[in-house]
Amino acid sequence: MTCGRTVEHDVVTAPRLSESASAVFAVLARAGSATRPQLAVLAGLSKPTVSSAVAELESARLAALSGTASSGTGRTAAVYRLGPDAGAVLAVDLGPDRTRVRGCALDGTLLAETVGSRADAADAVREALRALPAGTPLRTIVVAVGDVTARAADGGGMRPATDKAGPVFDAMAVALPPGVPVHLENNVNCAALAELHEGAARGRGTFGYLRVGVGVGLGIVVDGRVLRGANGAAGELARLPYPWDDGREPRREALEEYMGAASLLRRAAEAWRETDGPCPAGTERLFALAGQGCAPARAVVARHAADVGRLAAAVAAVLDPGLIVLGGSTGADPQLLPGVRAELARLSWPTEVVSSTVGELGTVVGAARLAVARGVRTVTEAVRRKD
């Protein structure tokens, strides 16, 4: 990936719209394309009001004619889509190993996608910006970070609260276009949104997304909304007291250290014998060997499954979510499911447990969905008058 100057994208203030035009724009963004009769039904407005709203949106280049559609009676109707000035959004996933960036139109259409290392986050952002259509207004940017967020010490915008993500965020932020609103969201919360809308939790308004990989985290969704908590720290399982028994004092974030990938590989190294062949250097290889029937690998994975099951039991005891979706670089492996389910059943009440279906793209997919929703609001909240 090459370094380069950030391509300029217009920072355009959305025109002030009537309430009906705002409503129609939001419906059109969700639908992607629609005729005026369809927009009237979806927006709950009269056909004359919709016709006036569409004209207003066309005049502002927020909607455009994209063709015609034939009805069963032989009549044709004009089909509309978002216009060239509707704009785009950017979603950035500052992952533990990779940076994933997506640029999307406000109807969710993917316009740009780049992947870089964690160290090359700024370059990945610049590359995605260059791939967006020239002159496209950039409405908002959502950055997913593996951290709690807090307001900057100088009173400026939000930033990661600790060194978990602070330095890499600062290094990436130099590539963001000035003047565009930037929203930070926890990476696990973003992945939970992806599971809610496109993954294993579709149709389930309340569930917990339990990510286990380099670290641990929980995305909590209640009635279709992410629960963030008073400090934005809901689901920070790393802060659960551990260890906690006679003669041992809990250490800060010791649970994450114990559950994380590095400790999992350390346990594998301790269990490995020379006759077992080369010890796996990564979790992907460890799980592959377990799947092939390698005895020490299977034993380490089984212990990990029991540990994840105990963590799931803690989640069930506090939230009773009904469903727990397992994600993360180790948590999503289906080999864990039997052990997790058995340990959870032993320690808590019945709770469904399934593996993630959105995989490693979950965070950037959820961040893009959040960015699109925020981008649409930047347009629809600019209301001029009541109809």
Side-chain angles (χ1 to χ4, degrees), residues 212 287 301-302 304-306 308 326 330-341:
V212 183
F287 277 83
V301 169
H304 192 55
V308 175
L326 298 180
T330 63
D333 194 293
Q335 293 181 80
L336 292 184
L337 275 179
V340 173
R341 288 168 172 166

Side-chain angles (χ1 to χ4, degrees), residues 18-382:
S18 64
E19 289 187 355
S20 58
S22 293
V24 169
F25 182 87
V27 165
L28 189 57
R30 288 195 299 270
S33 64
T35 64
R36 279 181 289 186
Q38 289 170 335
L39 291 171
V41 172
L42 293 171
L45 299 171
S46 68
K47 291 181 181 179
T49 299
V50 167
S51 293
S52 176
V54 168
E56 183 180 341
L57 293 174
E58 284 188 289
S59 177
R61 290 168 50 89
L62 295 175
L65 185 66
S66 66
T68 59
S70 299
S71 67
T73 62
R75 294 183 177 181
T76 60
V79 178
Y80 293 90
R81 56 172 173 77
L82 295 184
D85 283 357
V89 298
L90 205 68
V92 183
D93 169 19
L94 291 178
D97 300 311
R98 294 184 180 88
T99 298
R100 300 181 187 276
V101 186
R102 284 190 171 190
C104 296
L106 294 195
D107 61 1
T109 300
L110 184 64
L111 301 175
E113 187 170 29
T114 61
V115 180
S117 70
R118 184 175 173 89
D120 294 333
D123 287 345
V125 169
R126 293 188 183 102
E127 185 177 335
L129 288 170
R130 285 194 293 267
L132 293 177
T136 302
L138 197 58
R139 299 297 183 190
T140 193
I141 299 167
V142 169
V143 182
V145 296
D147 203 349
V148 177
T149 61
R151 189 161 295 282
D154 60 4
M158 302 299 289
R159 67 179 312 280
T162 74
D163 285 342
K164 278 186 176 181
V168 70
F169 172 79
D170 292 338
M172 178 278 304
V174 300
L176 300 180
V180 181
V182 178
H183 173 76
L184 270 65
E185 183 57 86
N186 180 267
N187 58 350
V188 181
N189 287 346
C190 289
L193 285 173
E195 295 291 349
L196 172 66
H197 293 285
E198 304 177 36
R202 279 180 294 183
R204 303 287 289 268
T206 299
F207 68 97
Y209 171 77
L210 178 57
R211 173 176 282 183
V212 183
V214 174
V216 295
L218 178 69
I220 305 167
V221 177
V222 179
D223 294 333
R225 293 179 176 271
V226 171
L227 179 66
R228 293 179 173 84
N231 297 297
E236 286 294 308
L237 299 181
R239 296 294 177 91
L240 283 175
Y242 178 87
W244 191 5
D245 59 14
D246 291 342
R248 293 198 295 177
E249 287 291 320
R251 303 188 316 277
R252 189 168 184 170
E253 298 190 354
L255 178 63
E256 182 167 70
E257 178 185 338
Y258 172 78
M259 294 289 298
S263 291
L264 179 61
L265 291 173
R266 175 183 53 77
R267 288 191 286 274
E270 292 171 352
W272 226 257
R273 301 163 301 184
E274 290 186 8
T275 56
D276 295 323
C279 183
T283 56
E284 186 175 348
R285 179 58 179 164
L286 174 65
F287 277 83
L289 288 172
Q292 295 166 14
C294 173
R298 292 186 65 181
V300 171
V301 169
R303 175 180 172 182
H304 192 55
D307 288 335
V308 175
R310 291 162 190 166
L311 191 55
V315 170
V318 175
L319 297 176
D320 188 21
L323 171 68
I324 294 176
V325 179
L326 298 180
S329 57
T330 63
D333 194 293
Q335 293 181 80
L336 292 184
L337 275 179
V340 173
R341 288 168 172 166
E343 191 70 359
L344 177 57
R346 184 178 75 85
L347 296 172
S348 190
W349 38 79
T351 303
E352 184 181 359
V353 183
V354 299
S355 297
S356 165
T357 58
V358 296
E360 61 184 8
L361 294 178
T363 295
V364 74
V365 168
R369 177 174 285 276
L370 182 59
V372 165
R374 285 181 164 268
V376 170
R377 284 203 297 273
T378 65
V379 177
T380 59
E381 289 178 355

